[in-house]
Amino acid sequence: MTTINTPMPFRIDEDTLLACLKGQNFEQKWRVYVQALFDEVDVSVIHNLVVDHFVSFDDLLKAIDTWEVTDSENERWIREMASFEVGRSHAESADRT
């Protein structure tokens, strides 16, 4: 959050950012913050958002399109990851226990 908020005139909080990523908040004032996430935050942080189940790669892909994020390394990586089915289905996980 610090990376995203530092150069901005006011702050976005975690809940608002997640709502923007999940398609629950479309206020244009948050566009630069969402873009900053994809442009300035290390890909490992974005990956952890997915691993920790805050968002999915599909959520991130939709956010990229909604918020018009382009020409970012993270954007290209997310598009690639969203094209794969990541993880196991619930049935596969149950078989492993």
Side-chain angles (χ1 to χ4, degrees):
M1 295 305 301
T2 302
T3 301
I4 296 169
N5 281 318
T6 298
M8 304 300 182
F10 53 95
R11 299 176 122 19
I12 188 171
D13 61 47
E14 292 175 19
D15 291 335
T16 303
L17 179 60
L18 288 173
C20 291
L21 296 176
K22 292 179 178 183
Q24 300 164 343
N25 186 328
F26 300 101
E27 291 181 67
Q28 284 300 301
K29 69 180 180 181
W30 302 125
R31 183 171 185 247
V32 293
Y33 297 84
V34 174
Q35 289 179 325
L37 172 75
F38 292 114
D39 290 338
E40 298 172 19
V41 173
D42 188 79
V43 72
S44 66
V45 174
I46 296 170
H47 185 251
N48 285 339
L49 289 173
V50 175
V51 170
D52 293 338
H53 303 286
F54 288 105
V55 293
S56 67
F57 283 114
D58 191 50
D59 290 332
L60 295 174
L61 182 61
K62 288 176 185 173
I64 285 169
D65 293 336
T66 298
W67 298 98
E68 301 174 356
V69 175
T70 58
D71 297 326
S72 147
E73 286 296 318
N74 290 340
E75 177 242 346
R76 287 186 283 280
W77 178 79
I78 290 165
R79 288 189 186 281
E80 184 177 342
M81 294 303 291
S83 71
F84 298 112
E85 185 173 329
V86 178
R88 293 184 175 86
S89 69
H90 291 289
E92 289 174 315
S93 295
D95 290 340
R96 296 182 57 87
T97 57

